[in-house]
């Protein structure tokens, strides 16, 4: 089939590339011309394991195209995926749909024969109805479908090609039949193809993300209790998670959840609740708990340092919101590092995905090109993101000091081993 992905970000690029790898012809469109020209010269603008190889392969086979020519891409394609961002609106908790509606208004004039228009972006329930109104003059030529994306950055290719489920929201039998064929190679193995109403599909995405965010906040709050009760949260999480009704995933205590989805999607769901006159008090509490956590963990760090951070070298290992991605959106380091810097700490950081523009404005925040440089003579090491690179470190060799302090925000190391190694250790909920 001929497909067009509008918005070549984490979602549009990965799904476009994976669809092309299944033999479809895919046009990835973006209004960011620099991104398109980078992709056309073989530069991948995001860090995602395995993506570069797949791009090269399919680009060479002329199944994958990168373009800013939205008219041509839409006219050629049978299916159009809208994959633009839906960030939180300024001064409100709602999802900002301006990019989605911009795309709809842009492409409506290019619809001259039947096309399926899909929102892959995460959009609040009833957005499809609004899109239908934009396309009302082309009513007979388009089916507006919701097909939310569930991939996770860092594991995006595997998630896209072996998803737990594919959710398709439409009442159109014609669109459903075509999409079943498109997704057949993906769902044929283990995953489920879920056909539902468009509003149902839109809400499934928010319901899933808010539930996962709830799981994280729940275990994080229990970690606070564990610290006071002398229990290791890892034991509790394991004991809970082995119950199949609960499941082990998303039960790892750590910093506040971040990233491009959970924070904005929980906020947007709360607003959707309001607009439908429904009180989502659990979602409300989760958002608050997560906001409080940024502050709480920073305060715990200060306590660990006995309040003395002025002119101290603090090393952050990892600054992204999770490993295997370069995405900094709503990472807790964006709160912690400026806070510590403002109080006179000297920050060094290393992240395998490279230097971050977010910290370039701070005088005493230094990006180090390797772990050794980042850790040398440090007064405190903070494991902020659990990249594999940080899992087997010899801190004595790295820090080259007698008094080593480690704040392990991801509970990577064993407190017992650290005690044996004479490293002052502080984890989360243990
Ligand atoms: P992103 O910011 O990485 O990419 C969006 C892209 O859209 C940008 O490159 C931007 O230039 C482009 N764009 C905006 N307006 C455009 C227009 N008019 N024409 C062409 N291009 C345009 O966003 P993302 O992380 O890929 O997220 C996209 C959507 O998918 C969001 O709704 C998000 O919630 C959802 N989602 C994201 C993830 C994730 O892990 N990132 C996972 C599932 C769902």
């Amino acid at each position: 089939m001929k497909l067009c992905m509008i918005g070549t970000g984490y979602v549009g690029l990965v799904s476009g590339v994976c669809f092309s790898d299944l033999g479809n012809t895919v046009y990835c469109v973006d209004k960011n011309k620099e991104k398109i020209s980078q992709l056309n010269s073989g530069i991948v603008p995001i860090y995602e394991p395995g993506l570069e190889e797949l791009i090269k392969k399919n680009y060479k086979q002329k199944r994958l195209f990168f373009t800013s020519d939205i008219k041509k891409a839409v006219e050629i394609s049978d299916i159009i995926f809208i994959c633009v961002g839906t960030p939180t609106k300024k001064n409100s908790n709602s999802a900002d749909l301006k990019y989605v509606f911009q795309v709809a208004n842009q492409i409506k004039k290019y619809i001259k024969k039947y096309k399926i228009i899909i929102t892959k972006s995460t959009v609040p329930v009833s957005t499809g109805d609004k899109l239908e109104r934009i396309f009302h003059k082309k009513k007979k030529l388009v089916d507006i479908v919701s097909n939310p994306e569930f991939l996770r950055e860092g594991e995006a290719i595997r998630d896209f090609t072996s998803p737990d489920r594919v959710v398709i929201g439409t009442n159109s039998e014609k669109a459903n039949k075509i999409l079943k064929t498109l997704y057949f190679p993906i769902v044929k193995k283990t995953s489920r193809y879920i056909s539902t109403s468009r509003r149902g599909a839109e809400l499934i995405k928010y319901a899933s993300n808010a539930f996962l965010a709830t799981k994280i906040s729940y275990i994080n709050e229990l970690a606070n209790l564990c610290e006071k009760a002398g229990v290791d949260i890892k034991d509790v999480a394991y004991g809970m998670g082995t119950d199949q009704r609960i499941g082990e995933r998303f039960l790892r205590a750590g910093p506040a959840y971040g990233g491009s989805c959970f924070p904005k999607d929980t906020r947007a769901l709360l607003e959707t609740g309001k607009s439908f006159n429904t009180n989502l008090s659990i979602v409300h509490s989760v958002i608050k708990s997560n906001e409080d956590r940024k502050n709480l963990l920073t305060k715990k760090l200060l306590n660990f340092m006995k309040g003395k951070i002025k002119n101290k070298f603090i090393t952050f290992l990892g600054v992204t919101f999770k490993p295997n991605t370069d995405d900094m959106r709503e990472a807790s380091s964006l709160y912690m590092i400026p806070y510590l810097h403002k109080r006179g700490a000297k920050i060094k950081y290393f992240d395998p995905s490279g230097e971050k523009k977010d910290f370039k404005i701070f005088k005493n925040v230094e990006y180090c090109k390797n772990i050794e440089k980042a850790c040398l003579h440090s007064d405190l090491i903070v494991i902020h993101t659990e990249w594999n690179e940080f899992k087997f470190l010899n801190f004595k060799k790295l820090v080259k000091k007698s008094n080593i302090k480690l704040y392990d925000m991801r509970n990577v190391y064993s407190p017992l081993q650290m005690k044996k190694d004479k490293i002052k250790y502080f984890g989360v909920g243990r």
Side-chain angles (χ1 to χ4, degrees):
M1 290 186 205
K2 290 198 177 74
L3 316 178
C4 162
M5 318 302 294
I6 304 182
T8 307
Y10 289 86
V11 163
L13 181 58
V14 171
S15 22
V17 170
C18 291
F19 274 134
S20 73
D21 203 47
L22 293 172
N24 301 289
T25 303
V26 181
Y27 299 87
C28 290
V29 180
D30 207 286
K31 65 176 182 187
N32 181 338
K33 291 198 169 132
E34 196 189 326
K35 202 179 247 189
I36 294 300
S37 99
Q38 279 182 339
L39 283 160
N40 277 319
S41 356
I43 300 164
V44 184
I46 57 169
Y47 180 100
E48 184 59 51
L51 189 60
E52 193 172 342
E53 294 77 359
L54 274 190
I55 292 181
K56 266 190 195 149
K57 177 181 153 197
N58 289 289
Y59 191 80
K60 216 168 143 190
Q61 308 235 348
K62 297 199 170 10
R63 282 199 297 257
L64 180 63
F65 300 91
F66 301 108
T67 177
S68 298
D69 188 348
I70 196 165
K71 177 178 187 286
K72 189 177 158 204
V74 167
E75 282 176 352
I76 289 177
S77 302
D78 311 305
I79 306 175
I80 294 147
F81 287 89
I82 301 178
C83 309
V84 296
T86 48
T88 303
K89 253 187 199 165
K90 269 193 191 132
N91 308 322
S92 140
N93 274 337
S94 314
D96 191 343
L97 297 176
K98 69 170 180 258
Y99 303 111
V100 173
F101 294 141
Q102 266 167 16
V103 169
N105 282 307
Q106 241 175 317
I107 64 174
K108 64 181 182 192
K109 50 187 174 289
Y110 308 134
I111 312 284
K112 287 169 190 139
K113 59 179 176 92
Y114 177 75
K115 298 195 192 284
I116 301 175
I117 297 174
I118 296 183
T119 47
K120 208 169 225 339
S121 299
T122 304
V123 292
V125 60
S126 83
T127 302
D129 305 356
K130 290 175 188 148
L131 286 172
E132 223 157 50
R133 290 201 276 280
I134 294 178
F135 287 96
H136 70 101
K137 283 190 183 155
K138 304 281 166 89
K139 213 167 144 188
K140 293 207 172 106
L141 291 181
V142 295
D143 273 317
I144 312 281
V145 175
S146 166
N147 167 217
E149 182 49 57
F150 297 94
L151 62 78
R152 292 163 299 169
E153 289 170 20
E155 325 219 15
I157 293 171
R158 204 188 51 202
D159 282 350
F160 189 82
T161 50
S162 310
D164 290 337
R165 78 295 206 194
V166 168
V167 176
I168 300 292
T170 178
N171 294 328
S172 155
E173 269 180 37
K174 183 177 178 183
N176 204 15
K177 204 169 156 208
I178 295 171
L179 292 172
K180 249 188 190 157
T181 312
L182 175 70
Y183 274 109
F184 176 72
I186 289 174
V187 291
K188 72 175 175 197
K189 291 172 251 162
T190 51
S191 49
R192 299 189 185 105
Y193 181 93
I194 299 175
S195 290
T196 181
S197 66
R198 192 170 57 211
R199 283 186 170 208
E202 289 168 340
L203 195 51
I204 285 170
K205 175 65 189 176
Y206 281 99
S208 306
N209 274 1
F211 187 78
L212 294 172
T214 305
K215 237 179 144 182
I216 298 173
S217 292
Y218 181 76
I219 205 72
N220 279 344
E221 286 199 354
L222 279 179
N224 298 340
L225 175 61
C226 283
E227 276 171 25
K228 302 223 165 112
V231 177
D232 191 330
I233 189 66
K234 278 185 118 173
D235 296 342
V236 176
Y238 183 64
M240 274 175 72
T242 38
D243 182 331
Q244 285 188 14
R245 293 169 303 175
I246 298 173
E248 288 172 55
R249 290 158 76 187
F250 289 83
L251 283 184
R252 265 188 294 152
Y257 61 74
S260 63
C261 293
F262 291 175
K264 80 169 175 66
D265 291 349
T266 42
R267 290 191 290 260
L269 181 58
L270 192 66
E271 286 310 300
T272 304
K274 281 185 195 159
S275 67
F276 284 88
N277 225 349
T278 305
N279 182 14
L280 300 175
S281 65
I282 295 178
V283 180
H284 183 267
S285 303
V286 167
I287 295 168
K288 176 160 188 328
S289 171
N290 199 56
E291 279 309 306
D292 291 349
R293 190 148 190 88
K294 294 179 192 166
N295 197 18
L296 184 75
L297 260 66
T298 315
K299 290 274 152 60
K300 283 181 192 282
L301 184 154
L302 281 177
N303 283 346
F304 189 42
M305 293 295 284
K306 299 200 168 70
K308 291 179 186 146
I309 57 163
K310 195 155 189 218
N311 291 324
K312 298 280 184 203
F313 277 107
I314 300 181
T315 298
F316 270 69
L317 293 180
V319 288
T320 49
F321 84 97
K322 68 170 186 176
N324 296 323
T325 181
D326 56 351
D327 201 341
M328 286 294 289
R329 287 178 278 187
E330 306 216 27
S332 53
S333 63
L334 290 174
Y335 174 84
M336 288 179 179
I337 290 182
Y339 180 100
L340 300 169
H341 175 262
K342 201 172 162 194
R343 282 152 188 82
K346 294 179 174 167
I347 313 283
K348 299 195 281 178
Y349 76 95
F350 168 72
D351 191 282
S353 70
E355 188 173 9
K356 303 296 161 202
K357 63 175 184 343
D358 309 85
F359 301 130
K360 280 191 177 165
I361 46 167
F362 299 112
K363 197 174 90 208
N364 280 327
V365 178
E366 182 197 349
Y367 167 68
C368 300
K369 285 206 166 114
N370 54 47
I371 301 176
E372 288 76 10
K373 265 194 172 173
C375 292
L376 187 68
H377 299 150
S378 197
D379 296 299
L380 172 70
I381 309 278
V382 179
I383 298 185
H384 174 274
T385 317
E386 71 280 30
W387 289 81
N388 279 341
E389 285 85 336
F390 306 146
K391 289 185 177 164
F392 299 96
L393 297 178
N394 182 334
F395 292 105
K396 280 189 176 159
K397 267 195 179 165
L398 285 168
V399 182
K400 296 194 169 63
K401 266 178 75 167
S402 53
N403 179 18
I404 302 175
K405 282 186 162 175
L406 173 65
Y407 187 4
D408 182 4
M409 286 186 184
R410 303 289 181 170
N411 290 342
V412 174
Y413 288 88
S414 140
L416 215 65
Q417 187 58 46
M418 292 296 107
K419 203 172 174 187
K420 276 188 199 154
D421 293 348
K422 297 196 170 55
I423 290 171
K424 277 203 182 138
Y425 178 86
F426 186 54
V428 174
R430 37 200 347 206

